Amino acid sequence: MYIEQAFKSLHDWWRYLVGIIIIVFASQIGSIPLAIAVVIKSFSSGAGLESLQDTNSMLTVLDSNLTFFLMLLSFAVGLLGVYFVARFLHKQPFIELTTSRKKTDWGRVFFGFALIATLTIVLTAADYYSNPEDYVVQFELIPFLILAVIAIVMIPLQTSFEEYLFRGYLMQGIGVLAKNRWVPLIVTSVVFGGLHMANPEVDKLGSVIMVYYIGTGLLLGIMTLMDEGMELALGFHAGNNLIAALLVTADWTVFSTNSILKDISEPSAGFDVIAPVLIIYPIFLLLMARRYNWTDWKGKLFGKVKKPIILVEETTDYS
């Protein structure tokens, strides 16, 4: 089973502590090019460091496509850090961090991607035609094509980093240490949501948006545990972020892109913020459960994690 994969590799508690330090360090290394580019651009424009008093002002210094690429670069380097830690610190094949299956099921990846991508496009189109005054069409071919190339290459790296870190490395690590499934599910979901506290959406919408972030982490964690692998979560997360980046942006979102639409409405945190968690996400889980024949929900989400017994075939020496 998925969490038990970690028992096949080196799984001492201190290795996970060292691993987290290495992964965080790698992601910080990946953020250096953005900082350098911002400083160079600020001085070349004559603005100087005094113009960079907060994160939002820093991100408006550069071209939006360049900013987008450099922001995502830190996640790509972080993903390399996860691979390095798994492969060399834990001696774990990367496939065992991905899934309990013998190889990655790309059909599951594409299904998770298509599910959220289709819903996002349908809901955005419906809202656009119902409330056209809330949107501005800002489509420009060349900037959009550049954005599309960056997004298609870099967003899967960004979302894969987050999935391999939370639903992979930490899910397995906490699972083998806690000896159960519910602790890693809750901890990874809360930490995943908590790391979004710095997003500008939280300042704009208030702390209620954390219900959405933590709820999304919980959804991805349930997918991973019930399906015994990360494929669905990998596809779902990539589809959510990629379509959002290409389709609609706003001045108050973490990714301000050259998307097709720009939302100019005044955002408010109401039932629409928690509706996905309470209504849409359970429907997604039911669809996946039916498609992939999920069973034993109690055992897979709340059961114990036990070290698998490896049977060694006995041989008889007749010499």
Side-chain angles (χ1 to χ4, degrees):
M1 298 174 70
Y2 179 67
I3 289 181
E4 284 82 352
Q5 296 274 77
F7 282 114
K8 299 179 183 179
S9 308
L10 302 176
H11 54 276
D12 312 87
W13 68 268
W14 63 266
R15 293 181 187 274
Y16 287 99
L17 178 59
V18 173
I20 289 298
I21 294 173
I22 293 174
I23 293 168
V24 171
F25 180 74
S27 64
Q28 293 303 307
I29 291 294
S31 66
I32 291 177
L34 174 61
I36 293 175
V38 167
V39 171
I40 292 175
K41 181 65 175 180
S42 297
F43 277 103
S44 64
S45 64
L49 292 177
E50 62 275 6
S51 64
L52 307 177
Q53 298 300 316
D54 56 62
T55 302
N56 289 335
S57 62
M58 287 179 61
L59 298 182
T60 58
V61 170
L62 303 175
D63 170 77
S64 63
N65 279 335
L66 178 58
T67 300
F68 186 58
F69 171 77
L70 293 175
M71 287 180 66
L72 295 177
L73 183 61
S74 65
F75 296 94
V77 178
L79 181 59
L80 288 176
V82 175
Y83 177 82
F84 175 87
V85 165
R87 185 68 182 84
F88 298 103
L89 183 61
H90 294 273
K91 307 297 182 182
Q92 183 181 35
F94 211 54
I95 186 65
E96 292 182 1
L97 195 62
T98 306
T99 183
S100 60
R101 286 167 276 275
K102 292 183 179 180
K103 60 181 180 179
T104 302
D105 187 340
W106 289 101
R108 280 172 154 86
V109 175
F110 293 128
F111 178 76
F113 183 98
L115 196 63
I116 186 62
T118 301
L119 181 70
T120 302
I121 292 171
V122 169
L123 292 181
T124 302
D127 191 49
Y128 174 75
Y129 285 107
S130 299
N131 306 286
E133 70 280 1
D134 290 343
Y135 295 91
V136 171
V137 177
Q138 61 169 17
F139 177 77
E140 295 182 42
L141 181 60
I142 299 304
F144 179 79
L145 290 178
I146 296 173
L147 168 66
V149 171
I150 294 171
I152 291 170
V153 173
M154 299 298 291
I155 282 185
L157 297 178
Q158 176 240 329
T159 55
S160 293
F161 166 66
E162 294 183 358
E163 290 310 304
Y164 274 103
L165 176 58
F166 291 101
R167 261 63 64 179
Y169 188 69
L170 291 178
M171 183 76 79
Q172 289 188 351
I174 297 172
V176 298
L177 295 176
K179 301 296 191 295
N180 61 49
R181 300 176 182 278
W182 67 269
V183 168
L185 175 60
I186 298 300
V187 170
T188 56
S189 301
V190 172
V191 175
F192 173 78
L195 290 181
H196 290 79
M197 282 288 292
N199 285 11
E201 291 93 332
V202 178
D203 290 334
K204 193 70 175 180
L205 299 174
S207 58
V208 69
I209 191 65
M210 296 306 298
V211 174
Y212 170 76
Y213 288 132
I214 295 174
T216 300
L218 192 63
L219 168 74
L220 296 167
I222 293 173
M223 284 182 193
T224 300
L225 292 180
M226 290 304 304
D227 203 50
E228 299 292 359
M230 287 199 306
E231 291 99 330
L232 288 170
L234 285 167
F236 187 95
H237 200 164
N240 181 76
N241 287 24
L242 178 60
I243 299 303
L246 296 177
L247 192 57
V248 60
T249 189
D251 290 334
W252 45 270
T253 57
V254 65
F255 289 147
S256 183
T257 65
N258 291 299
S259 58
I260 297 173
L261 299 173
K262 183 175 182 179
D263 186 346
I264 59 172
S265 65
E266 183 62 28
S268 60
F271 181 71
D272 57 322
V273 172
I274 61 176
V277 177
L278 299 180
I279 300 174
I280 298 175
Y281 287 176
I283 294 174
F284 282 160
L285 291 174
L286 290 175
L287 288 173
M288 292 177 180
R290 183 177 180 84
R291 180 179 178 89
Y292 297 110
N293 300 313
W294 291 349
T295 58
D296 189 22
W297 288 71
K298 181 179 179 181
K300 288 184 177 180
L301 298 182
F302 302 99
K304 295 182 178 179
V305 172
K306 298 179 180 179
K307 186 174 183 178
I309 298 174
I310 302 176
L311 299 177
V312 180
E313 184 179 353
E314 295 184 359
T315 58
T316 302
D317 186 359
Y318 294 101
S319 59

